[in-house]
Each structure stands twice: as structure tokens, then as C-alpha cells.
Amino acid sequence: PFFVNRGGLPVDEPTWERMWRHVGRIHPEGQLVAQRIRGAADLPKIPIPSVPAFQPSTPIPERLEAVQRYIRELQYNHTGTQFFEIKKSRPLTGLMDLAKEMTKEALPIKCLEAVILGIYLTNNMTTLDRFPISFKTHFSGNYFRHIVLGVNFGGRYGALGISRREELMYKAPVFRTLSELIFDFEEAYRRCWHTLKKVKLGHCVSHDPHSVEQIEWKHSILDLDKLTREDFRKELERHARDMRLKIGKGTGPPSPTKDRKKDVSSPQRGQASPHRRNSRGDRRPSGEKKPADSKAMPDLNGYQIRV
């Protein structure tokens, strides 16, 4: 047996089994209710968002707007259940396969899924730099987390993503510096009565969808409680400079692909590529130190923010 998504396409049963494990705790008869709804013949058809396609001459800013429109049309997932299991430790090729599945099932998504989808939909924009930006905020005694995909085109910064708040997702690439972009997010949080506590910045993501490299999610960790305003700005610009230097010098040998991985059990990186940071201890934690734990796996069950 199989289920169907909102576009009538078949979805493998294990995906829905995972969902019903969560739904059953809240609504024991929820599966029966869902089956009655699926069996109703008089329900209107819900349109499936179309994956954006571009002409070679389409400017990058217009492509980014189209990608953001597509992410927005999928809608924010308010159900409390995450439909796609995303492990940050997975290689890029695995995350891209998951993003392709998102486009087929066309289910609502949350901010981390939007970042993976944004990477997938911008892989062919080779002049665009993409890097993750994570936020930790405080409001009414609780902490909240959010993530967007930072972009840099022609020296101008912007962001792609999804959020319950319009001002915490898409930012057109018009900001002259990375600090201007982050300060704009900080002001948006302030209007939502949230206090920005930490910002985590990753390095640029490869455009090779078959790369087995992992995304570097937290190259710089900036703790606003331990940094003055000017130091915070300097650290942001230092990270932007680090990304430019890494791109300017190149990343050394090409990333190992699925085919190369079959031939080499443990790909070795030569001296020409010193920029890869393989352990948490190598990161520059601007303002705080994180205990090294190379075996720790990210727990995404608590990654549910949101403002």
C-alpha cells in the first residue's frame, strides 16, 4: 500500500509511518480521519508548485526571487511534525537527494529544509556563493533557533529561507557587507520582541551536487553577550573575508564524488587544500569555546523554532 501527497503523487509508506508515530501521540484516531479525507471524492485539487526553470540569460537576482517564491509556495509546516529527516552530518550528495524528494512530494517545510532546498535549487548558479546562517534568540524566558541560507552575488549579500515571519526569511542581495545583512536580521528580530544571542556562520557550500563533503555549518560562532557591538561587526567582516580568501585560493583537489568513493576507502586531502576544517576544535569560535566532540551527532528533534 502507499499514500499520496497533496498533489496526488505516491509517497512511500515508511515516510508516512514516521509521521503517524508523532501524530498518534496527539490524536490517536488521526490516521482514520486522514483516510476518510483521502477517500473523499469531492475535495478540490490542490495545485503543486512548479520547480523554477531558468533561461541562461536570466539574471541571478531574478532567479533568487523565483527560488524564494517556490519555497514560499510550499508553505511553512505548522503541524509540529517534520516530514523530512535532515541530518546535518550527511554528505552533500545525500542532502541533495533529499531535496529532490522534497520537490516531488511538495509537502510543507521548515527553515532547515528550506536551506537544503535552497542549496539544491541554486547549484547551477556557479557565480553565487551560498553559506548557512544560524540564529539563536531569547524571548519570554525561552530560546529559539532559526536558520537561513546566506547568499553573495557580485559582492552583495542576501538570504533565502522560510519562517513564520515575513521579515525573517528572504533578503534580496542588496546588502554591501555581511554585517549589514546580519544587522538587518537583528532589527527584524527586535521588532518581534526577540533578543539575538548567537549567530553561527558556515563556509561556502560546494556547487557539486555529487560531493561527499559535509556542509560546514559552524565555522564562526559569535556570542553577542561576549562581544561589543564593534567587535561583533569586525568578526562578521572577518568571516566574510575568510570566505573570499577560501574562494580566491580555491579548495584544492575536487571533492570526491560517489564514483571516486567506490575506489578509495578513505580519500586523502593534499597539502594544496589547507582550508578544510575537519574538527570542531579547528573552528574559530569568536567569543566562546565549544568542547570538542567529533563523534557527537546533531540532535534535530529540538530544532523547532520558531518565531
Side-chain angles (χ1 to χ4, degrees):
F2 62 87
F3 300 93
V4 293
N5 63 9
R6 64 180 180 179
L9 299 176
V11 181
D12 63 328
E13 188 171 4
T15 301
W16 287 97
E17 285 179 350
R18 290 195 300 269
M19 184 183 75
W20 289 124
R21 280 203 303 270
H22 297 284
V23 174
R25 297 173 189 153
I26 303 171
H27 195 327
E29 298 181 1
Q31 188 169 0
L32 296 176
V33 173
Q35 288 174 350
R36 286 198 298 270
I37 294 174
R38 288 195 186 94
D42 57 342
L43 295 178
K45 293 281 187 179
I46 299 178
I48 303 176
S50 299
V51 178
F54 310 106
Q55 297 294 331
S57 59
T58 305
I60 294 296
E62 291 184 18
R63 297 189 188 192
L64 292 177
E65 290 181 6
V67 169
Q68 182 62 42
R69 270 196 308 272
Y70 175 77
I71 292 175
R72 194 193 309 263
E73 287 171 358
L74 290 177
Q75 301 181 16
Y76 187 86
N77 179 6
H78 294 276
T79 66
T81 299
Q82 191 162 342
F83 296 133
F84 304 96
E85 183 181 8
I86 297 180
K87 294 182 179 179
K88 289 184 175 180
S89 59
R90 290 187 68 183
L92 184 60
T93 179
L95 293 174
M96 294 302 94
D97 289 341
L98 184 59
K100 188 175 182 180
E101 182 183 351
M102 292 183 205
T103 62
K104 290 181 178 179
E105 298 190 6
L107 294 169
I109 58 176
K110 291 190 176 182
C111 61
L112 182 57
E113 295 156 301
V115 168
I116 301 303
L117 195 56
I119 294 173
Y120 173 75
L121 295 174
T122 57
N123 269 337
N124 60 347
M125 306 179 196
T126 55
T127 57
L128 182 74
D129 300 327
R130 299 89 44 84
F131 56 97
I133 307 174
S134 302
F135 302 97
K136 180 180 179 181
T137 61
H138 183 264
F139 170 72
S140 188
N142 296 309
Y143 289 94
F144 300 85
R145 290 170 176 81
H146 183 45
I147 187 169
V148 297
L149 181 65
V151 296
N152 180 10
F153 173 70
R156 300 283 175 162
Y157 291 88
L160 298 171
I162 197 167
S163 170
R164 295 177 181 177
R165 297 283 186 175
E166 184 73 22
E167 58 268 36
L168 295 175
M169 36 200 287
Y170 176 66
K171 303 287 183 182
V174 296
F175 297 91
R176 294 175 299 173
T177 63
L178 178 59
S179 57
E180 286 185 6
L181 173 65
I182 300 302
F183 291 159
D184 188 81
F185 272 106
E186 183 182 28
E187 178 59 30
Y189 271 118
R190 188 177 293 113
R191 292 195 295 269
C192 300
W193 304 99
H194 279 238
T195 302
L196 186 60
K197 290 294 185 180
K198 284 185 182 179
V199 177
K200 299 177 182 179
L201 302 161
H203 253 316
C204 292
V205 181
S206 170
H207 286 270
D208 179 9
H210 305 295
S211 172
V212 296
E213 296 277 344
Q214 295 179 354
I215 296 175
E216 189 172 2
W217 299 95
K218 296 182 288 187
H219 178 78
S220 297
I221 303 174
L222 310 182
D223 189 337
L224 274 69
D225 289 336
K226 299 179 181 180
L227 293 170
T228 65
R229 188 70 173 178
E230 181 61 20
D231 288 339
F232 182 41
R233 185 192 64 79
K234 288 181 178 179
E235 290 296 335
L236 291 171
E237 296 312 315
R238 180 182 299 175
H239 182 85
R241 186 165 58 251
D242 287 348
M243 289 194 294
R244 289 195 300 271
L245 289 174
K246 184 173 181 179
I247 296 169
K249 293 181 179 179
T251 55
S255 301
T257 61
K258 289 179 178 179
D259 294 335
R260 292 178 60 194
K261 190 177 180 183
K262 295 177 183 177
D263 300 330
V264 184
S265 59
S266 178
Q268 298 296 320
R269 185 171 288 271
Q271 294 296 325
S273 180
H275 306 289
R276 169 70 176 165
R277 298 181 183 271
N278 292 319
S279 66
R280 294 186 179 182
D282 291 335
R283 300 185 188 120
R284 176 173 49 78
S286 306
E288 72 164 5
K289 289 188 177 181
K290 302 268 299 177
D293 184 7
S294 60
K295 296 182 180 179
M297 296 293 288
D299 181 9
L300 296 180
N301 292 330
Y303 199 96
Q304 303 204 0
I305 217 191
R306 314 258 199 255
V307 296

